Amino acid sequence: MDRRLSLSSEHLRLLDPEGTEGVLLGTRCGQCGVTVFGPTALCPHCTSDELTQVELSRHGQVWSYTFVHTPTKEWKGEVPYALVDVELPEGPRVLAALVDCRFGDVRIGMPVALALRVAEVDGDGNQIVAYRWRPVGSPASLGAGQ
Ligand SMILES: [Zn+2]
């Protein structure tokens, strides 16, 4: 089987060699307790550098959304696509594409779960896995495409 690698190891940790399970990573401030998505050198709330990497929840709620008709040139998935800003129980919001959902079904407050998708294949044949959101109840399987 081809190797699967995280698109960004500072934001998404793959938990198994097949890259079918993963968890989002955040940074928690030991001074004020604020949690942010991904790495940060200083706490954006209190500027403390007393920071710890933490694993974030795999579920959240849609806080905002938009439909992208003109993606950046790095985007390899289908167009148009739904881009959702999802609020996690720990506080941070995580912006990513929404998969397995008809555009008309997207709602503010909708519960969503983490989904992993192969975003692209690199020059060495590795499958690059990206984080996406999916409606709760849809299959979690790691498929091709966006
Ligand atoms: Zn802080």
Side-chain angles (χ1 to χ4, degrees):
M1 181 171 185
D2 297 327
R3 259 184 100 193
R4 285 182 166 157
L5 304 174
S6 173
L7 185 69
S8 169
S9 59
E10 292 180 317
H11 295 86
L12 172 68
R13 175 183 292 153
L14 299 180
L15 300 176
D16 60 341
E18 292 78 30
T20 55
E21 294 284 329
V23 65
L24 297 176
L25 299 175
T27 307
R28 180 172 294 145
C29 175
Q31 282 295 316
C32 73
V34 157
T35 301
V36 299
F37 176 48
T40 181
L42 295 173
C43 172
H45 182 68
C46 74
T47 72
S48 168
D49 62 357
E50 190 186 321
L51 304 168
T52 308
Q53 189 181 62
V54 292
E55 295 188 350
L56 299 173
S57 294
R58 295 181 209 191
H59 291 81
Q61 288 192 331
V62 173
W63 185 81
S64 178
Y65 65 90
T66 189
F67 301 111
V68 178
H69 294 265
T70 309
T72 61
K73 64 181 189 318
E74 291 81 18
W75 177 252
K76 304 282 198 300
E78 290 176 24
V79 177
Y81 69 97
L83 182 66
V84 291
D85 206 7
V86 169
E87 189 169 59
L88 300 180
E90 295 89 350
R93 293 198 292 264
V94 179
L95 192 66
L98 180 69
V99 297
D100 301 337
C101 185
R102 290 179 303 193
F103 286 2
D105 294 339
V106 186
R107 297 280 181 275
I108 300 289
M110 186 171 110
V112 293
L114 183 66
L116 302 182
R117 293 290 184 273
V118 175
E120 59 184 300
V121 177
D122 73 10
D124 298 323
N126 299 308
Q127 295 185 336
I128 306 302
V129 177
Y131 52 91
R132 307 289 189 232
W133 295 109
R134 62 183 170 86
V136 169
S138 73
S141 64
L142 178 78
Q146 61 176 311

